[in-house]
Amino acid sequence: MPVGITLQHRLDYHERDFITHDEAKTDKERGMGRKIFVSYKYSDALVEKLAEAKYEATTVRHYVDELQDILDEEDHINKGEDDGEDLSDFKDEAIESRLRDKIYDSSMTIVVISKGMKESFRSESDQWIPWEISYSLREASRNDRKKQTGAMLAVVLPDETGSYGYYITDQSCPSCKCRTLNTPILFKMLSQNMFNVKKPDYSGCDKHSTGSRVYIGASSYIYSVKWSDFKRSPNKYIADAYAVRDNVADYDLVKKL
């Protein structure tokens, strides 16, 4: 296995093709804009520079601005909270109240993975992203309306060198061409909702170390896609995420911090 990848890191195929073209087309033809919540570390500058940010350092916020341009015109984006705010003095109820209005009406949450998204010196409960993922996954009732578990998608940004290697290693096995996801660098709310299908399918590849398995198919409730791939086919990956959400009972979800 590649340097830096331990036996505890789970593996996933580099492609997922369980959704059909017709299913993706049907999702797009629903005729109404999707409400998408975006969870991200807006001040993280450990990302590849964008041409649009000519006179300032590129941060994740610039990618989120571009994300709005990539999505369909009728789609509506609601952006996450200010990640510079200290949550240590907030009660859980106050945090949920802040998120409720933004996430309640959203049918999907896109989590933007970036190299510096996680502040290791602060607990996860003191950072917005885990709370935003948690609330997106929960069911909730409000004014006789019920919020269902949201569709989820992780969009991975390239780091300042243009590499995805801090998280994704493509073709980590020359035999089965699988990819390795470095999930331990993520918030637990993300990693615990990956490779969590109740009845997983595994590759028969025997070129891996003992105890290391290669997952195939829709193995994760939160699928990870490179920014470069997402830009080429955003509706395909969004439709995939909705298809997984429609089969939410097939996954063991962790919804609370």
Side-chain angles (χ1 to χ4, degrees), residues 69-124:
D69 295 333
I70 291 171
L71 297 178
D72 293 339
E73 289 184 3
E74 64 268 23
D75 290 335
H76 303 284
I77 279 186
N78 211 337
K79 300 176 183 178
E81 289 288 336
D82 181 348
D83 58 39
E85 189 168 19
D86 183 6
L87 300 185
S88 58
D89 294 330
F90 279 62
K91 293 184 178 180
D92 291 1
E93 295 81 4
I95 294 173
E96 292 182 18
S97 178
R98 287 276 292 271
L99 295 176
R100 192 173 297 122
D101 290 337
K102 287 193 171 186
I103 300 179
Y104 187 86
D105 287 333
S106 299
S107 60
M108 178 180 187
T109 292
I110 292 177
V111 183
V112 180
I113 293 179
S114 57
K115 190 175 179 179
M117 70 182 294
K118 182 179 176 182
E119 296 180 42
S120 57
F121 56 88
R122 294 170 64 189
S123 69
E124 294 199 12

Side-chain angles (χ1 to χ4, degrees), residues 17 25 49 78 98 157 180 202 209 213 242 244:
D17 57 2
K25 184 178 180 181
K49 184 172 180 58
N78 211 337
R98 287 276 292 271
L157 301 186
T180 300
Y202 300 109
S209 303
R213 288 177 165 179
Y242 279 117
V244 169

